[in-house]
Amino acid sequence: MAGRPLPWAHGEASVTIREAASADAEAVCRIYNQGIEDRVATLETEPRTPAERREWMAARGPRHPVLVAETDGAVTGWGSLNRFNPRPAYDHVVDLSVYVERAWRGRGVGRMVLEALVGRARKLGYHKMVLAAFPDNAAGMALYARLGFTRVGVYREQGLLDGRWVDVVVMERLL
């Protein structure tokens, strides 16, 4: 996947979307842990380790890739296609994850990762993509809507995070 110039405050940075490699585990872990700490994108509460992320990446099959956004040689975001449900009837539905390094949020990295995931899901023969998002993650919700995801519903009080119940919005996109 070719790089595409991405405007930022100090000129332009070249962003490339590519397959994640084992060597990316530390960056993927750091970015995921930021998402955990910031409480904007996951109900996960325990920080991960690079070794755990490396194992997670290695255990994934070809239908569930991890992609990274590389900006001037540094990983600034990542996304993955995840198994939605182990029942064979759901083999053509895929869940997705997108995480962006704090300093790069709002600069188009998440959009590039999500566009690449949509393209990859099509190539892999998926019929539908689904995701779950926090309703107060305004940037994420707007991005998903811009890329054709529609709101299906809300899981009320889906998880307990920092002593408060959190709703989760379910979205989908037919491919």
Side-chain angles (χ1 to χ4, degrees), residues 140-163:
M141 297 293 292
L143 171 62
Y144 302 135
R146 278 194 309 274
L147 289 184
F149 287 82
T150 57
R151 187 176 171 142
V152 175
V154 177
Y155 288 131
R156 299 277 178 216
E157 299 181 359
Q158 181 72 358
L160 190 60
L161 192 59
D162 298 330

Side-chain angles (χ1 to χ4, degrees), residues 32-113:
Y32 188 47
N33 284 341
Q34 289 176 359
I36 294 169
E37 293 165 9
D38 296 347
R39 301 292 201 253
V40 295
T42 180
L43 288 170
E44 181 62 63
T45 58
E46 297 296 320
R48 301 302 175 114
T49 66
E52 182 277 331
R53 288 287 90 181
R54 191 171 293 105
E55 289 173 21
W56 172 78
M57 290 164 53
R60 303 175 71 84
R63 286 184 52 82
H64 301 105
V66 178
L67 305 179
V68 295
E70 189 173 62
T71 309
D72 293 334
V75 174
T76 54
W78 65 271
S80 60
L81 296 180
N82 312 303
R83 188 172 209 177
F84 173 69
N85 188 300
R87 294 180 180 141
Y90 294 104
D91 283 350
H92 297 284
V93 178
V94 69
D95 173 67
L96 69 95
S97 297
V98 174
Y99 290 87
V100 177
E101 210 281 334
R102 280 185 190 119
W104 285 92
R105 292 178 190 162
R107 296 183 180 195
V109 172
R111 181 183 184 103
M112 290 179 70
V113 171

